[in-house]
Amino acid sequence: MKITRITVSVIVALNIASAARAQETLKGEVVAIDRASKKISIKLGGTVAPSDATAPTPFKVQDARMFDAVKPGDKVSFTAEREDGLMTIKNLTKE
């Protein structure tokens, strides 16, 4: 019984941590825009991915109007959440 409570507590704590991380604002540079697959590739900056900072990360776009707001080379800040196994941009702001 005690092990079950501990296990449930750990699972709840991890879910809360994941939700908090999902709302974190990320920064990077737009590398490519692929309207056909509804994705924007962004080279993340800062301490988000220091070991692989040069590799662009593709993100699914929730709102197609985001494609018109940015172009390759633009510096952006954004929030993303995991939806159906894919990281999806919820908000995107050009800096």
Side-chain angles (χ1 to χ4, degrees), residues 25-30 33 40 42 65-79 89-95:
T25 300
L26 303 172
K27 294 185 180 212
E29 179 182 334
V30 175
I33 296 173
I40 294 178
I42 299 174
R65 291 178 289 183
M66 289 181 198
F67 291 123
D68 298 325
V70 296
K71 64 184 181 314
D74 286 346
K75 304 284 185 195
V76 295
S77 60
F78 63 100
T79 57
I89 296 175
K90 298 297 183 175
N91 294 314
L92 179 71
T93 305
K94 185 176 172 181
E95 295 188 348

Side-chain angles (χ1 to χ4, degrees), residues 52-66:
D52 198 17
T54 59
T57 304
F59 292 90
K60 183 178 171 187
V61 176
Q62 179 180 11
D63 185 347
R65 291 178 289 183
M66 289 181 198

Side-chain angles (χ1 to χ4, degrees), residues 14-15 17-24 26 39 44 48 57-62 78-91:
L14 289 173
N15 283 335
S18 293
R21 188 181 64 215
Q23 297 300 318
E24 184 177 327
L26 303 172
K39 292 183 181 177
L44 298 174
V48 176
T57 304
F59 292 90
K60 183 178 171 187
V61 176
Q62 179 180 11
F78 63 100
T79 57
E81 293 179 10
R82 189 169 298 280
E83 284 186 358
D84 299 327
L86 298 172
M87 288 302 289
T88 303
I89 296 175
K90 298 297 183 175
N91 294 314

